[in-house]
Amino acid sequence: IFVGAEGTLVIPYVGGVAVAGKRFSDAQIDIEKAIKGRFRHLEISVNLARLRSFPINVIGEVESPGAYFVKGVEQVSELIFKAGGLIDESKGRASLRNIEIRSTTTTGDIHNIRKADLVLWNLTGDLSHNPFLVDGDQIFIPVKGDSVTVSGAVHLPGSYEFSPGDRVADLVRLG
């Protein structure tokens, strides 16, 4: 059974189950509930046969801005790579810490902005700093903002871009 263009899975003798925008695990629970509500003694297995591709616009400080098709398992860093990487990466012109993931409506209006911080992602491996992309996202890479120099008894002394909300301890941890 395939998910329709409107994001509903139509199951014969059960009806429609809305799965658009849901994580696979949440959709799986909703599908199982719907089927077990009609057929109580069935073993249910939900599998994902193929990932859907959708376009994401990349704008700002990348070599080749534009729309790129991605699958639901791609992250911000992968899309930046598809767009040719950052402009003047060796000179540090583009921000790696204040990347915006703008969620847009079908009319193009921005209704939510999430952040990506690729420096923290590289240091910690925390996926929340390099989120997965969803349909309707737009990536904006701004010019690098204010920087702070960290020196002294730190692992990696150097200049680090300031990100709103940073504390002195956060910047020292970067170094």
Side-chain angles (χ1 to χ4, degrees), residues 90-160:
S90 62
K91 296 177 185 171
R93 176 175 157 183
S95 175
L96 286 170
R97 299 208 56 216
N98 295 301
I99 297 168
E100 293 182 0
I101 305 147
R102 300 170 175 175
S103 299
T104 59
T105 62
T106 53
T107 60
D109 297 327
I110 297 170
H111 67 88
N112 185 31
I113 298 177
R114 303 182 330 263
K115 296 284 185 179
D117 185 333
L118 298 184
V119 172
L120 283 180
W121 174 68
N122 278 319
L123 288 173
T124 66
D126 182 346
L127 293 178
S128 68
H129 297 300
N130 186 15
F132 290 97
L133 300 167
V134 297
D135 197 3
D137 282 350
Q138 177 186 76
I139 307 301
F140 172 65
I141 294 90
V143 172
K144 185 175 181 179
D146 294 334
S147 295
V148 174
T149 300
V150 178
S151 62
V154 293
H155 181 52
L156 294 169
S159 179
Y160 294 93

